[in-house]
Structure formats: structure tokens, C-alpha cells
Amino acid sequence: MQNSMNAKRIDTIKDQKWQGKLIQTRWIDRDLVDCFSCLYRWQLAPTNTIAGLFELYQQLVPTKLYNQNKTRTDTTSDAMCRMCHESPESVAHVIAGCSALAQTKYVARHNGALKILFFELLDDLDLIESVPPWYSPTTPKPEYHNTKASAFWDVPVFAENTEVRANRIDVRIVEKETETVKIIEMSCPWIEKKKQEAEESRKDHQICTLKMGTQTTAQGLHHQAI
């Protein structure tokens, strides 16, 4: 009886026009397990931040599609994005698909998130004296060096004899003691495009990674996409 009721609830949710497709995608995405656990650890999170997260999560941001299909406060037929005018204006489009934001807001979001991890790695390798707060406007320097390691932030890798199409790597860590090179790539795609983005990143940097292996005496090359 209980299983039957749960099955009916699941079918009802799947049939929802506004949330159904997104919820189904989240259910099958293993990477989204405990995706709200950060709120448990971040107990001093501002209420407006939490509210904003849930508005994005439930697609309640007043985009054109939301106003036309959910609240019906927009009676026009124009649903194209007000910034790029190329695609319908939805939460998914604004967050990860608008060409007008690609070189500005998306880059700032990408760098703001990745630099938190980067500074922690620098601290572990004694390349910096202290880790700036996550909200700090501090921008990483292109290069850091000491006797233990070298770290590079958004520095191109140049190959002499091999064509390298995607030679700009987000983060590169060269550990001298263990003779290893770690490559970290970060992207912020919409849920449905995560696997595609990871595969494209792997292919784009495959040649670059192989070339780096021939240019160094590293025993190991590690590529991590996040």
C-alpha cells in the first residue's frame, strides 16, 4: 500500500509541467546527493542567501518563461532572453546558457568558486602564508613557486611540436618532490549538460596533457574536472 502511494506521488511529480523534468533529472544525478548539506555546515548562512538558492533550485526567478507560464503576469508572446535575444529566457538559460554573460558574469562566478580551492592547495604546499576568506576579493597571482612546488592559475601551456587547441588550463600544480603534475578544470554547466561538459573538457585537454607529460619528468599526470 505504501509503495503504491509513493509510486503515485512520483508519477504526479513527474507530470508537473514546471518542476517535473528538473526533479527527474536531479533524482538520477548521483552527484547531487546531499546537495543541501552545506546548509548544515554553514549555520550562519544569511537568510537571503538561502532564499536565493531555493528560488534558483525551484526555478522561481521571474524570468520571461516564469512570468508567462507560471504567474501569467506577462501576456506577451516574446519569451526571448532580454540580454542575448538568442534563446527563451529561463533559469537554466540565465545560469548557464546566455552568451551575453559568458565572458563576464560566468567568468567571475567560475573564478570566485575555483579560487577557494586553489588557495587551500597553495596553503597545503606552503606557497602562501594564509588562506583568504571565501568572500575576499583577492585574485590569485598567475604563478607561485617554492622549493616544494609550483602552481599556475589560468596560465597557457605551449607545445613546441604538437598542435594544442585548448592550452589554457584553470589550475596546474607541479609537485617537485613527488614529480607529479595535477591539472584542475572547473565548469558550471546546467544539470543536463554536466556529463557532456566533462567529456568535452577531457577531450580538449588530452593533447595538452600528453604534451605536458613529454615536457616534464613527472611520474604522474592527474586531470580533475569539477
Side-chain angles (χ1 to χ4, degrees):
M1 184 67 177
Q2 184 68 30
N3 292 337
S4 177
M5 293 178 62
N6 288 338
K8 289 182 179 180
R9 292 193 185 100
I10 291 174
D11 290 338
T12 300
I13 293 173
K14 288 181 178 180
D15 291 337
Q16 291 180 354
K17 293 182 178 180
W18 190 250
Q19 293 287 339
K21 183 179 180 181
L22 178 62
I23 291 176
Q24 287 185 73
T25 304
R26 293 201 300 261
W27 280 343
I28 63 177
D29 193 331
R30 296 181 179 180
D31 293 335
L32 293 180
V33 176
D34 298 328
C35 60
F36 287 115
S37 61
C38 61
L39 296 179
Y40 174 77
R41 297 190 298 270
W42 189 16
Q43 297 184 1
L44 297 179
T47 54
N48 61 320
T49 299
I50 298 174
L53 287 173
F54 275 92
E55 285 181 357
L56 291 172
Y57 191 75
Q58 299 179 27
Q59 300 188 89
L60 300 179
V61 179
T63 61
K64 282 190 175 182
L65 286 181
Y66 178 81
N67 290 335
Q68 289 178 2
N69 298 290
K70 192 67 174 175
T71 64
R72 303 192 183 281
T73 55
D74 185 350
T75 57
T76 66
S77 59
D78 179 20
M80 302 304 285
C81 176
R82 285 166 281 189
M83 292 175 285
C84 69
H85 308 287
E86 296 175 356
S87 300
E89 187 180 285
S90 64
V91 170
H93 172 75
V94 173
I95 289 180
C98 181
S99 60
L101 302 176
Q103 300 302 320
T104 54
K105 296 296 185 181
Y106 292 169
V107 173
R109 176 184 62 185
H110 169 278
N111 292 346
L114 183 57
K115 74 176 185 179
I116 298 173
L117 172 61
F118 185 59
F119 281 133
E120 292 288 349
L121 293 173
L122 294 179
D123 186 57
D124 289 343
L125 296 169
D126 297 325
L127 288 165
I128 57 175
E129 295 182 357
S130 61
V131 177
W134 65 269
Y135 52 82
S136 170
T138 302
T139 301
K141 295 187 297 184
E143 299 183 16
Y144 296 82
H145 301 278
N146 64 14
T147 57
K148 294 172 57 178
S150 295
F152 304 88
W153 170 271
D154 195 28
V155 174
V157 176
F158 297 98
E160 297 177 359
N161 302 316
T162 304
E163 178 188 359
V164 178
R165 292 177 291 108
N167 67 336
R168 206 168 191 90
I169 297 174
D170 287 343
V171 170
R172 179 161 47 102
I173 305 290
V174 180
E175 297 186 17
K176 300 174 183 178
E177 295 179 356
T178 58
E179 294 188 329
T180 58
V181 177
K182 296 178 180 177
I183 297 173
I184 300 176
E185 283 290 312
M186 178 177 173
S187 59
C188 305
W190 189 244
I191 297 174
E192 297 173 342
K193 295 185 177 181
K194 285 201 309 179
K195 291 184 178 180
Q196 175 185 343
E197 189 76 18
E199 181 63 19
E200 289 178 356
S201 175
R202 185 189 66 81
K203 290 180 179 179
D204 286 344
H205 290 85
Q206 187 174 33
I207 296 177
C208 184
T209 301
L210 291 173
K211 188 58 183 177
M212 285 176 58
T214 62
Q215 289 179 334
T216 67
T217 59
Q219 295 177 352
L221 274 165
H222 306 280
H223 178 269
Q224 181 65 44
I226 57 176

